[in-house]
Amino acid sequence: MKTIQIHRHGGPETLVVEEADMPAPGPGQVLIRHTVIGVNFIDTYHRTGLYPLRLPSGLGMEAAGVVAAVGEGVTRFKRGDRAGYCTGPIGAYAEAALVAADRAVALPDSVSDETAAAVMLKGMTARYLVRKTFAVGPEHVAVIHAAAGGVGQILVQWTKRLGATVIAVAGGPEKCALARSLGADHTIDSLSDDIAQGVRAATGGEGADVVYDSVGKATFEASLNSLKPLGMFVSFGNASGPAPDVNPGLLNAKGSLFFTRPGLFHYTRTASLLQETAEETFAAIADGFVKVATPRRYALADAAQAHRDLEARRTLGSLVLIP
Ligand code: NDP
């Protein structure tokens, strides 16, 4: 089978297409033959070594497809079932992968393989952020960075569904217009506007209850300065580089703020948490309050180009690879 490997950390040029034997599932595993593979920003962190990997390594955490074989003891899946996964193992940029059966999710008829690959990791992230990390309600004002991105588009829609006021931050007028079309009440163009000033202006000087910041280094200051007293800083990504170390004294000086650095894996650490998160995410899509735009498609062999486009901020929504 075809697989993308890296032998060293570095730029997109480190991704190489290789041939590997089709693996056979061990006890508790399923072999999933991929039809569509999700591309996520975390894949670029694995590639660069921001999140180090043992090399050589595959890349990719997420794919949808069909169960091609099941290992001993697996009862939840049988050959021919549609299934997906988004919490690894790393190596989804391939024609197939072995996945622990309790880390795979059954795909409902209402969700196509393409939508599943576009939305599992990003939608489940949005779900835990708005329902668990900070339970959003109508009384809240939420700032959402990278609002036209893969996670961002879902976050905007879900936060609106929960009744909050959404201030979307995005790079450029086209992305801001897209965020508005998804329901954002206010938009701030991060390429031309002062983010914290924009948030103050939109909230009558008060500030936001929660900031969902996936940009990291470039927006850390602005996010801190956008919160009202007792506000929650949710730092969940590093698209521009890691956020600086957090000084507890600064959290006090800015208004007894809360700060958290959450990750999807911890919120889906058991099979039941994973299933619950997946079911609620698929239900949001079936219900229609989360609409998933057609993802941008690349051939598996063009994964490097997908990384280039994602890192250059040239994309809206999700990217997928077709094996
Ligand atoms: P996106 O589609 O959101 O792409 C990243 C976006 O970040 C860009 O489009 C761009 O939007 C913005 N950005 C701002 N500055 C930069 C920069 N210097 N370089 C690149 N991008 C920049 O990607 P994903 O939806 O895959 O992921 C979004 C974020 O969420 C990532 O940071 C990812 O790591 C994080 N994440 C965290 C998870 C968790 O559980 N902690 C799980 C899933 C994702 P714009 O031009 O509008 O600024």
Side-chain angles (χ1 to χ4, degrees):
M1 66 167 184
K2 282 200 173 32
T3 163
I4 302 276
Q5 296 283 309
I6 56 167
H7 292 261
R8 61 185 171 85
H9 290 302
E13 72 286 353
T14 56
L15 274 61
V16 289
V17 183
E18 293 183 359
E19 280 295 330
D21 292 337
M22 188 63 75
Q29 291 183 319
V30 290
L31 175 68
I32 301 181
R33 197 177 273 278
H34 300 157
T35 51
V36 191
I37 299 156
V39 176
N40 291 284
F41 217 92
I42 191 172
D43 307 340
T44 71
Y45 308 147
H46 287 141
R47 192 203 71 222
T48 61
L50 178 65
Y51 297 174
L53 298 177
R54 191 129 52 91
L55 298 173
S57 175
L59 282 181
M61 309 282 292
E62 174 178 45
V66 178
V67 174
V70 299
E72 200 189 311
V74 173
T75 52
R76 282 189 52 236
F77 293 98
K78 60 180 187 324
R79 212 163 163 254
D81 285 349
R82 295 176 61 234
Y85 62 95
C86 69
T87 57
I90 294 169
Y93 291 10
E95 288 179 307
L98 293 177
V99 182
D102 63 4
R103 301 309 296 172
V105 295
L107 300 180
D109 292 344
S110 56
V111 175
S112 69
D113 289 9
E114 183 168 78
T115 298
V119 89
M120 282 181 294
L121 197 152
K122 300 170 187 79
M124 290 195 215
T125 297
R127 184 266 181 185
Y128 85 70
L129 288 172
V130 298
R131 299 261 292 112
K132 300 290 174 184
T133 307
F134 182 94
V136 168
E139 67 278 27
H140 295 132
V141 176
V143 175
I144 297 174
H145 287 277
V151 176
Q153 289 195 26
I154 305 170
L155 258 183
V156 169
Q157 296 177 81
W158 212 316
T159 307
K160 278 315 296 175
R161 169 69 170 200
L162 294 169
T165 300
V166 170
I167 304 175
V169 183
E174 186 197 358
K175 291 184 177 184
C176 286
L178 177 59
R180 257 192 308 278
S181 76
L182 297 173
D185 300 279
H186 308 272
T187 53
I188 298 172
D189 183 343
S190 56
L191 301 182
S192 58
D193 301 337
D194 181 297
I195 296 171
Q197 265 178 25
V199 173
R200 295 283 159 195
T203 56
E206 202 175 342
D209 297 274
V210 59
V211 175
Y212 292 109
D213 186 341
S214 62
V215 173
K217 188 176 176 181
T219 48
F220 180 78
E221 269 308 307
S223 292
L224 264 186
N225 292 326
S226 295
L227 286 162
K228 70 183 193 193
L230 312 194
M232 170 75 91
F233 190 142
V234 182
S235 173
F236 73 100
N238 332 273
S240 67
D245 290 346
V246 177
N247 170 359
L250 190 60
L251 296 179
N252 174 268
K254 296 287 180 183
S256 299
L257 302 180
F258 295 85
F259 184 94
T260 182
R261 179 36 176 114
L264 176 63
F265 192 79
H266 298 123
Y267 283 86
T268 58
R269 65 196 178 280
T270 64
S272 64
L273 283 171
L274 177 70
Q275 295 306 322
E276 174 194 316
T277 309
E279 277 165 24
E280 211 177 297
T281 304
F282 291 144
I285 295 161
D287 180 281
F289 73 80
V290 169
K291 293 187 179 50
V292 184
T294 305
R296 193 194 278 217
R297 291 168 151 235
Y298 299 80
L300 174 60
D302 295 332
Q305 189 57 43
H307 278 211
R308 284 187 196 99
D309 292 343
L310 188 58
E311 290 175 293
R313 304 169 71 169
R314 281 195 287 264
T315 61
L316 302 168
S318 299
L319 286 61
V320 295
L321 307 176
I322 308 298

